Every structure is written in structure tokens, then in C-alpha cells.
């Protein structure tokens, strides 16, 4: 898949952050030295949508909650969409972000798009994450979002399975944008709703019961 100008700029941004993290000694001997390094090496560029309209059956969701919005869309329509987490650029500024892609790899972004006044992002770069991994991670964290996971010691960056015991690690959260772009920022630590927590526990318990049979 061709990167396009937006994808190339995001790749350069991720490369820079990865090099700075390595130079600063971050990574603790892990397989990946930062979320950006993981996204760079495990992710890919996605073409930005050419229009702000969303597909039929997808409604614009609340801004500032991209991880929650992307998870809900995939949970509700798992046969149509795949969860993606990484970075997207709005007005050329890279921001940590989550969205989904359809079976043809087209970006569907209910957080930033769907309203007539919305502006088109200039690029997307992210990692496709299986729904099972998203479920297990957000339930274990108690928060939405997969890659920035200090609560579990960043298992994906360590190259280890989700849920393996590890000390909590303090790693800087994704940088906040300039004040004029604050509406596009989604914190990576929004608590899981009780409804989602209960639903996820039920799904995992049913799977464990099926395995035990």
C-alpha cells in the first residue's frame, strides 16, 4: 500500500521519536523502545478518507474518546471492521489515535469524521489489533486503549503475552497537542465503563467455560 504524503510524514515522525527514545536509553531492553517504535515496526500507513461522510450504519461519536469509540464500533460489528491504533495527523500534526478499517482496508473514523464541519485528517499510521487482544487488554487495564499500557508494564512492547505479570512502568503518555487542536486529543487512560466491564467479563467467562468442557 502506497504511503502517500501524509503516511510518509507520519513514518518520519515515528522514526524520529523511536531514535530519540533509543538515544535516551528508553526501552529497558524490550523488543520495542516505545509505543512509536512499535507502531513504526508493526504498523502501516492507511490512506486518509477523501470525504467526511461515514459509511451507512456508522454515526459520528464523541470527540476525545477515540479508543472507546473504535472499540465499540468493532465490538458491535466485528465482521466488518478491525481495530487500529497508532497515530493520525490533523492539520499536519501527529496525534495518538484509534480508528477502524473495513475489510478493504479503508479508514472509518467515527471520532474525527461524520460531521459536515469536520476537517479531513492528512494521514493515518497504525497497527491492526485483533478484537480478542483489545478485549483482554482493556479489561485488564480497566481503561480504553491498547498500546499505551503502563498498568501491565507494556506487554506488547516487551514482546510478551497480554496479562503476563510485570511491574507497572512509568512511560510518558502521548504528548498533548497545541491548545487550538485540543478537541482532537483523546487521553489514553479513560476508565472502562461498568457496562463494558461487565460485558467483557461475561464474554471471557463464557470462553473459559467452553474451553473447560
Amino acid at each position: 500500500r502506497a504511503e502517500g504524503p501524509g503516511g510518509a510524514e507520519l513514518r518520519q515522525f515515528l522514526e524520529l521519536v523511536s531514535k530519540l527514545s533509543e538515544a535516551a536509553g528508553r526501552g529497558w531492553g524490550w523488543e520495542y523502545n516505545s509505543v512509536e517504535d512499535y507502531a513504526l515496526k508493526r504498523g502501516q500507513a492507511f490512506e486518509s478518507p477523501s470525504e467526511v461522510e461515514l459509511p451507512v450504519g456508522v454515526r459520528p461519536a464523541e470527540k476525545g474518546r477515540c479508543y472507546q469509540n473504535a472499540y465499540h464500533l468493532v465490538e458491535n460489528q466485528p465482521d466488518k471492521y478491525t481495530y487500529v491504533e497508532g497515530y493520525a495527523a490533523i492539520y499536519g500534526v501527529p496525534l495518538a489515535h484509534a480508528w477502524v478499517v473495513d475489510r478493504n482496508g479503508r479508514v472509518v473514523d467515527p471520532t474525527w469524521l461524520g460531521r459536515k464541519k469536520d476537517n479531513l485528517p492528512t494521514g493515518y499510521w497504525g497497527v491492526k489489533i485483533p478484537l480478542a487482544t483489545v478485549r483482554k487488554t482493556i479489561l485488564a487495564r480497566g481503561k480504553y486503549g491498547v498500546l499505551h499500557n503502563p498498568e501491565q508494564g507494556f506487554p506488547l512492547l516487551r514482546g510478551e503475552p497480554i496479562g503476563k505479570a510485570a511491574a507497572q512502568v512509568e512511560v510518558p503518555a502521548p504528548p498533548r497537542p497545541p491548545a487550538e487542536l485540543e478537541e482532537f486529543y483523546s487521553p489514553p487512560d479513560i476508565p472502562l465503563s461498568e457496562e463494558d466491564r461487565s460485558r467483557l467479563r461475561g464474554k471471557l467467562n463464557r470462553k473459559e467455560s467452553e474451553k473447560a468442557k
Side-chain angles (χ1 to χ4, degrees), residues 20-94:
L20 291 174
S21 296
E22 184 176 6
R26 282 176 55 188
W28 303 276
W30 296 350
E31 189 171 347
Y32 305 95
N33 66 44
S34 60
V35 168
E36 291 79 11
D37 188 46
Y38 184 89
L40 174 66
K41 295 174 179 175
R42 298 293 297 269
Q44 65 182 84
F46 294 91
E47 186 176 351
S48 183
S50 59
E51 55 186 18
V52 299
E53 285 77 12
L54 293 169
V56 175
V58 179
R59 295 182 177 181
E62 182 179 353
K63 286 187 176 180
R65 293 180 173 268
C66 68
Y67 306 103
Q68 182 178 1
N69 297 337
Y71 160 65
H72 282 164
L73 185 49
V74 175
E75 185 70 81
N76 293 330
Q77 301 186 63
D79 296 330
K80 293 183 65 175
Y81 299 116
T82 299
Y83 181 96
V84 186
E85 196 170 312
Y87 273 80
I90 190 79
Y91 297 111
V93 178

Side-chain angles (χ1 to χ4, degrees), residues 2-213:
E3 287 184 355
E9 290 175 0
L10 283 170
R11 176 173 51 78
Q12 292 168 4
F13 163 77
L14 295 171
E15 287 174 342
L16 175 61
V17 177
S18 177
K19 289 177 181 177
L20 291 174
S21 296
E22 184 176 6
R26 282 176 55 188
W28 303 276
W30 296 350
E31 189 171 347
Y32 305 95
N33 66 44
S34 60
V35 168
E36 291 79 11
D37 188 46
Y38 184 89
L40 174 66
K41 295 174 179 175
R42 298 293 297 269
Q44 65 182 84
F46 294 91
E47 186 176 351
S48 183
S50 59
E51 55 186 18
V52 299
E53 285 77 12
L54 293 169
V56 175
V58 179
R59 295 182 177 181
E62 182 179 353
K63 286 187 176 180
R65 293 180 173 268
C66 68
Y67 306 103
Q68 182 178 1
N69 297 337
Y71 160 65
H72 282 164
L73 185 49
V74 175
E75 185 70 81
N76 293 330
Q77 301 186 63
D79 296 330
K80 293 183 65 175
Y81 299 116
T82 299
Y83 181 96
V84 186
E85 196 170 312
Y87 273 80
I90 190 79
Y91 297 111
V93 178
L95 296 176
H97 195 54
W99 61 95
V100 310
V101 293
D102 65 16
R103 284 176 287 189
N104 294 314
R106 289 187 292 253
V107 169
V108 178
D109 188 347
T111 307
W112 282 3
L113 298 175
R115 293 158 284 254
K116 290 183 178 180
K117 64 178 182 179
D118 287 333
N119 293 285
L120 288 170
T122 52
Y124 288 83
W125 185 292
V127 183
K128 293 181 180 179
I129 303 176
L131 179 55
T133 300
V134 179
R135 287 170 174 166
K136 188 178 293 186
T137 303
I138 65 176
L139 182 59
R141 289 190 67 205
K143 300 171 184 177
Y144 299 98
V146 175
L147 298 185
H148 186 77
N149 184 0
E151 294 81 8
Q152 293 186 288
F154 293 87
L156 293 181
L157 274 59
R158 298 197 316 268
E160 297 178 352
I162 301 293
K164 184 175 180 179
Q168 179 166 331
V169 178
E170 293 299 327
V171 173
R176 299 185 76 95
E180 58 269 24
L181 297 180
E182 184 70 20
E183 66 174 300
F184 298 102
Y185 175 75
S186 294
D189 55 0
I190 293 178
L192 202 61
S193 70
E194 285 304 316
E195 180 181 358
D196 282 339
R197 190 189 305 274
S198 177
R199 177 168 60 175
L200 285 167
R201 282 176 175 165
K203 288 179 181 294
L204 293 177
N205 287 339
R206 284 194 295 274
K207 284 191 175 182
E208 290 300 320
S209 298
E210 291 172 358
K211 287 182 182 179
K213 290 181 180 179

